[in-house]
Amino acid sequence: KVIGYSFNDTIRFREFLAQEFNEKVSQVDGYVIGDHGETQVHLYSTAKIDGKSIVADQNTKQRISGNVPIILSQMEEYLGKTGRTAGWTCAVGISQIVHSIVEENDTIIPCSVIPDGEYGQRDLSITLPILLGKDGVREILEFDLVDDEINGLKISINTLEKATDRVNRLLSTSL
């Protein structure tokens, strides 16, 4: 039973939303799916503050999305200097994952999984919203995405498919 840890992107997304709307991060909800890189998809359609849906205008979305390459670049620079990953976000995310597994609650956790038809995908490891339990992934949730999120997911899937093809070619030549 393996899941890929990719919760950091969602934690950062929530931080950016909290900053934009001048709220506490603990009051913000929202998810990131797709690639764990520059083609990750911020699901503004899932964004909520105190349980109420928020509307992010195009400028807000561009500011938040514009932070992704900067954050990734800073992480690479930090990793190169220290050999460590993004510490506190991993701790927060992993504690929520463990709690979700132990309690079998309905906490939605974005993790890298291999879907079985969800979002029209198979045979591809991709970050999707899931429910976890003692026996692993209980369910991959399919959110109703808006058009720009659907288009973003297609781009992200294309990026992941290219990477998957590259890995498969390398594996086939080395075996």
Side-chain angles (χ1 to χ4, degrees), residues 39 124 152-165:
T39 64
L124 177 73
L153 185 57
K154 287 177 184 175
I155 292 167
S156 194
I157 288 167
N158 186 46
T159 299
L160 291 167
E161 286 174 337
K162 287 178 182 175
T164 300
D165 289 345

Side-chain angles (χ1 to χ4, degrees), residues 89-102:
T89 54
C90 289
V92 169
I94 290 171
S95 70
Q96 288 187 18
I97 287 171
V98 169
H99 182 74
S100 184
I101 291 169
V102 170

Side-chain angles (χ1 to χ4, degrees), residues 19 26-27 34 40 42 47 64 69 71 78 115 134 140 154 156:
Q19 290 170 4
S26 61
Q27 303 304 309
Q40 62 187 247
H42 297 137
I64 290 173
I71 294 295
Y78 180 72
K134 291 178 176 81
I140 296 175
K154 287 177 184 175
S156 194

Side-chain angles (χ1 to χ4, degrees), residues 11-132:
I11 292 169
R12 284 189 208 91
F13 178 52
R14 292 174 183 175
E15 280 184 90
F16 295 144
L17 288 169
Q19 290 170 4
E20 282 290 329
F21 290 92
N22 199 26
E23 295 287 343
K24 294 179 182 176
V25 176
S26 61
Q27 303 304 309
V28 177
D29 204 5
Y31 301 95
V32 174
I33 62 173
D35 175 31
H36 175 61
E38 290 189 27
T39 64
Q40 62 187 247
V41 183
H42 297 137
L43 299 182
Y44 291 94
S45 63
T46 66
K48 295 179 181 178
I49 296 175
D50 285 330
K52 296 176 187 145
S53 295
I54 62 169
V55 176
D57 63 26
Q58 207 52 38
N59 288 333
T60 300
K61 290 178 182 181
Q62 287 176 340
R63 274 193 304 278
I64 290 173
S65 295
N67 282 325
V68 172
I70 295 165
I71 294 295
L72 294 174
S73 174
Q74 289 172 344
M75 285 173 30
E76 288 293 323
E77 183 179 327
Y78 180 72
L79 182 61
K81 289 180 181 176
T82 66
R84 297 184 188 139
T85 61
W88 75 267
T89 54
C90 289
V92 169
I94 290 171
S95 70
Q96 288 187 18
I97 287 171
V98 169
H99 182 74
S100 184
I101 291 169
V102 170
E103 298 296 322
E104 291 197 347
N105 59 28
D106 288 332
T107 301
I108 299 169
I109 307 284
C111 290
S112 185
V113 294
I114 299 175
D116 187 23
E118 294 86 0
Y119 296 90
Q121 296 304 303
R122 296 183 189 288
D123 303 322
L124 177 73
S125 181
I126 185 170
T127 298
L128 295 173
I130 66 171
L131 297 177
L132 286 170

Side-chain angles (χ1 to χ4, degrees), residues 142-174:
E142 287 194 77
F143 293 145
D144 290 327
L145 306 180
V146 297
D147 288 345
D148 62 333
E149 295 168 347
I150 292 168
N151 292 333
L153 185 57
K154 287 177 184 175
I155 292 167
S156 194
I157 288 167
N158 186 46
T159 299
L160 291 167
E161 286 174 337
K162 287 178 182 175
T164 300
D165 289 345
R166 195 169 40 247
V167 168
N168 286 336
R169 280 193 310 274
L170 288 170
L171 288 173
S172 68
T173 59
S174 65

